[in-house]
Amino acid sequence: MLVRTGSHWSFESERALENIVADHLQSLLSLNLLHRQYLCQGEICDLVATNVDRQLVIIELKNSEDRYIVQQLTRYYESLTLEQPWSDQLDYTQPARLIAIAPSFHRHNFIDRKYNRLSLEFFTFQVIQQQERFWLQLSSVDAHDTTSIPLNYTEVSLPPDDDLPAPPQRLLEALGAMPPDAQQTILALRDRVLRFDPRIQEVETAESIGYGRGQKNWCVELSFDRKQSGPILFLWLPLLSHRHKKAIGRHRIWTDWATILYWAHVPSGLGQAKPMEEWQQIPPEKHPRKTLAGGKFKYVANGFSPNVALHFGCTEQTASLQAIVDAALQQWQARL
């Protein structure tokens, strides 16, 4: 969620900033959220909201300085007033509020606003670290009012004098959004993998961090998705299909970092598989074209049963993540 640049902290992406502002819109601006990423007349509005007076409020977020934010808000206003969604919750006869949130504003923004007839409000934000806590501070450029909310983020504590190389910055940034005990569990997992065999390398790619030899021969992978706060685990384990008794496949592992909850064979990427509980929270029109459990691809993740551990190479039935990781490591070593 957060990244360190020198002595300063910022959001890793505009989506991370949007997540925080959307979740705390009432605390930050006394507004009620109507929709995120709303598509209207070919334009995508970051946030559409309202207040107690039923005014239309359009919010555009930038994670870095941008010269054209006023023009964007003007186009969004035009599109929304033409379509007039949520007419039961909004009073379109009232003037709309257009809000821009960015770390800083280019001087062109102020020129554009000066000659615009709409009501445009500028807010700057910054991430502040106070001892072990992080805060988002939002400040009105015009009224000089400031509001702060705490961020669910902690700087990762590393063991002193560790003989292993420091964890990649991307991993540390992902761990910061997780509870301290989960942070230490994942770091301990990394430690276990790297110490298992001196030939295991830690390889960074654009999407993930892999553990094995070179770019291809991996046994463990930590992947990252901006929609998820923590890393996503993949392990190379035997395929269950009877046609591939000795074949090894890349499996996505859903875990609480102590036990395995679900798994699915995902040859590449993040895959479309999800536990059924997650599918049930998604509108059916957004499901894949094929039925969830049929066809060439399997879209429903398997609930993990301890007896599956035997097939994965464990000596006893278990749902322990550590035991399954050890099985993946041993099988990787045997393939060298």
Side-chain angles (χ1 to χ4, degrees):
M1 179 173 69
L2 299 180
V3 294
R4 182 196 285 273
T5 306
S7 60
H8 301 284
W9 289 85
S10 60
F11 288 96
E12 65 172 342
S13 65
E14 197 167 288
R15 175 59 66 90
L17 169 63
E18 181 185 309
N19 289 341
I20 294 299
V21 174
D23 290 345
H24 298 88
L25 201 53
Q26 182 60 234
S27 300
L28 289 168
L29 294 166
S30 300
L31 298 175
N32 297 316
L33 181 66
L34 293 176
H35 207 283
R36 293 178 57 175
Q37 294 293 306
Y38 183 67
L39 177 61
C40 181
Q41 305 284 318
E43 303 281 356
I44 300 178
C45 312
D46 283 348
L47 303 177
V48 183
T50 188
N51 56 18
V52 293
D53 297 321
R54 301 178 64 219
Q55 280 182 285
L56 168 65
V57 184
I58 306 170
I59 303 172
E60 178 64 15
L61 301 151
K62 296 294 181 185
N63 201 34
S64 58
E65 190 176 275
D66 185 279
R67 295 190 183 194
Y68 307 106
I69 197 167
V70 171
Q71 291 92 325
Q72 278 187 269
L73 283 165
T74 303
R75 295 197 305 270
Y76 300 160
Y77 170 77
E78 168 74 3
S79 299
L80 284 164
T81 52
L82 285 173
E83 188 175 291
Q84 295 196 1
W86 306 289
S87 55
D88 58 330
Q89 300 178 65
L90 295 171
D91 180 1
Y92 283 94
T93 65
Q94 296 190 61
R97 292 175 61 189
L98 309 185
I99 297 176
I101 299 176
S104 60
F105 288 91
H106 192 275
R107 64 183 185 87
H108 289 179
N109 299 141
F110 293 95
I111 296 172
D112 294 337
R113 184 175 72 159
K114 180 178 179 180
Y115 295 100
N116 195 299
R117 296 180 180 180
L118 300 172
S119 172
L120 290 134
E121 305 169 38
F122 290 173
F123 287 83
T124 59
F125 76 85
Q126 59 178 320
V127 176
I128 298 174
Q129 182 181 16
Q130 295 178 340
Q131 296 180 343
E132 296 182 356
R133 301 206 64 182
F134 289 83
W135 300 79
L136 169 64
Q137 181 174 287
L138 194 67
S139 302
S140 169
V141 170
D142 304 296
H144 305 293
D145 293 331
T146 298
T147 305
S148 299
I149 59 168
L151 297 175
N152 184 23
Y153 192 90
T154 55
E155 194 168 8
V156 180
S157 175
L158 298 176
D161 301 324
D162 196 342
D163 58 338
L164 291 177
Q169 186 62 31
R170 190 171 188 185
L171 176 58
L172 294 177
E173 291 162 2
L175 294 183
M178 304 182 72
D181 56 342
Q183 293 177 3
Q184 296 308 312
T185 298
I186 297 172
L187 288 175
L189 173 67
R190 171 185 178 266
D191 185 286
R192 191 180 190 88
V193 170
L194 288 175
R195 294 184 189 280
F196 177 76
D197 188 300
R199 293 168 292 183
I200 289 184
Q201 302 167 317
E202 189 170 47
V203 182
E204 288 190 72
T205 71
E207 297 82 21
S208 62
I209 301 171
Y211 298 86
R213 292 189 71 181
Q215 288 276 1
K216 296 182 179 179
N217 191 0
W218 289 356
C219 53
V220 179
E221 179 184 0
L222 296 174
S223 191
F224 304 93
D225 180 19
R226 290 179 177 176
K227 296 179 181 178
Q228 264 188 240
S229 57
I232 301 167
L233 177 65
F234 292 88
L235 297 176
W236 273 255
L237 293 161
L239 295 168
L240 263 64
S241 171
H242 67 278
R243 294 173 297 172
H244 305 285
K245 290 183 178 179
K246 296 183 179 180
I248 299 295
R250 177 176 178 265
H251 298 280
R252 179 170 176 175
I253 305 296
W254 283 261
T255 177
D256 58 8
W257 301 102
T259 59
I260 297 181
L261 308 175
Y262 302 93
W263 66 278
H265 177 225
V266 178
S268 63
L270 296 179
Q272 290 185 288
K274 293 178 175 61
M276 182 56 77
E277 291 86 343
E278 291 186 25
W279 282 119
Q280 291 171 344
Q281 298 173 13
I282 299 173
E285 61 269 19
K286 294 188 177 181
H287 291 179
R289 288 184 180 180
K290 295 180 182 293
T291 56
L292 293 182
K296 182 179 178 181
F297 302 100
K298 185 172 178 62
Y299 293 113
V300 179
N302 306 284
F304 192 83
S305 173
N307 65 337
V308 176
L310 299 175
H311 185 89
F312 281 164
C314 294
T315 57
E316 59 183 12
Q317 295 185 4
T318 179
S320 164
L321 175 62
Q322 180 175 303
I324 304 299
V325 168
D326 286 348
L329 290 168
Q330 291 161 9
Q331 290 168 53
W332 171 84
Q333 192 178 59
R335 296 196 302 273
L336 295 181

